[in-house]
Amino acid sequence: MSGDTNAVQGGRRISAHAVCAAIRDDIVSGAYQPGSRLTEELLARRYGVSRVPVREALRTLESEGFVTTRRHAGACVAQPSEREAADLLDIRALLEPLGAARAAQRRTEAHLKVLRGLVRLGRERAQGGQLGELRPLGDWFHETLAQASGSPSLAALLVQLRRKTAWVYAAAPGARPAPPEGAARPDPAARPDPTARAVESWAEHGALVDAVARGDADRARALATAHTERALSEYRLRRPIPVRTSKHTVNTASGRN
């Protein structure tokens, strides 16, 4: 393919970007465990492409922190630390409320239509106990909300941040798997009804969309802040996070994703 970063598969060209997305999704889902080697030849065979787009994809994933290059081993899945997880949650707690406030000011009717449709589907699935279908709906919801901010740079950061946060906590040694979006709190003592928690979570999503639709940036920011604080609280229950001493800490455990 002589330097071309596109591959041909089934008569259509597959870009290095698509290969990168496929590898990233497999890392996030746990198909590739932290520390495992990522050889160009095997990846090219798995995704049905040449080694050129794979090589470019690995460089991109290394810049994003999903992949690291080891001497004598080559590319490997990165091994996230507890400090990295704590830092990601700090950043998320700062940026998600900003994105929600911007969305209230800049959203389009097209954004609102998608967000309302996702809330409707999320509530239906939650009330029906179809918790396995909530994670992709939640990802789609937050990605659309990020896009509604009207800032491509902020939207890209928010999407990557949520993706990496989920991966870091799933991949960290001793961590328990994260539940689907709003499916359940991981506190073994409380043992709440996961369906009830999912219904509550999607009600929160609905309230956020209502604030965005009204153009109420302050309300949207407050709801998003509460949302990230619940997520932080639940992540802390799943895996203790080192205590932070920063003057402007935003990690207040109030008590979901």
Side-chain angles (χ1 to χ4, degrees):
M1 215 167 47
S2 70
D4 189 359
T5 58
N6 292 330
V8 177
Q9 184 182 74
R12 59 191 180 91
R13 302 188 74 77
I14 306 299
S15 68
H17 176 76
V19 176
C20 179
I23 298 174
R24 186 195 296 114
D25 287 346
D26 280 341
I27 290 175
V28 173
S29 70
Y32 300 124
Q33 292 297 308
S36 60
R37 292 187 60 190
L38 298 170
T39 62
E40 292 179 9
E41 182 179 357
L42 292 179
L43 290 174
R45 189 180 308 145
R46 175 183 177 94
Y47 301 109
V49 299
S50 78
R51 294 172 63 170
V52 176
V54 168
R55 189 176 305 126
E56 182 173 330
L58 290 177
R59 285 196 295 264
T60 298
L61 292 170
E62 184 170 13
S63 71
E64 295 177 352
F66 289 98
V67 170
T68 186
T69 300
R70 296 178 181 174
R71 189 177 182 181
H72 305 309
C76 302
V77 178
Q79 295 180 301
S81 66
E82 290 183 13
R83 174 169 294 193
E84 182 177 7
D87 287 344
L88 285 170
L89 283 175
D90 276 344
I91 298 169
R92 175 178 167 182
L94 288 170
L95 292 186
E96 285 201 350
L98 172 63
R102 291 281 175 84
Q105 298 167 332
R106 302 175 178 177
R107 90 294 183 278
T108 66
E109 288 302 315
H111 290 132
L112 289 177
K113 182 177 180 180
V114 174
L115 289 169
R116 285 168 171 155
L118 289 170
V119 168
R120 184 178 65 254
L121 287 173
R123 283 175 164 168
E124 290 174 356
R125 300 296 188 274
Q127 292 169 357
Q130 298 168 281
L131 305 187
E133 299 182 23
L134 294 182
R135 186 184 300 280
L137 287 176
D139 290 344
W140 191 0
F141 174 88
H142 286 287
E143 182 173 348
T144 303
L145 185 64
Q147 292 171 348
S149 71
S151 170
S153 296
L154 178 58
L157 283 172
L158 288 170
V159 171
Q160 182 176 340
L161 184 60
R162 288 185 60 84
R163 182 188 295 128
K164 195 169 183 183
T165 300
W167 169 67
V168 163
Y169 271 84
R176 283 172 284 175
E181 176 83 11
R185 297 180 192 273
D187 184 357
R191 294 191 181 282
D193 177 7
T195 298
R197 181 57 195 132
V199 170
E200 179 185 0
S201 173
W202 281 93
E204 294 169 2
H205 285 69
L208 180 54
V209 172
D210 288 342
V212 169
R214 293 194 306 270
D216 190 340
D218 290 339
R219 177 63 173 165
R221 185 190 295 273
L223 289 170
T225 297
H227 196 63
T228 57
E229 287 177 348
R230 290 187 183 92
L232 173 59
S233 178
E234 293 187 0
Y235 277 131
R236 276 177 166 167
L237 289 172
R238 288 176 47 234
R239 184 172 184 79
I241 298 176
V243 175
R244 315 305 294 271
T245 57
S246 170
K247 293 180 181 179
H248 49 78
T249 178
V250 294
N251 288 355
T252 55
S254 67
R256 195 238 70 89
N257 185 358

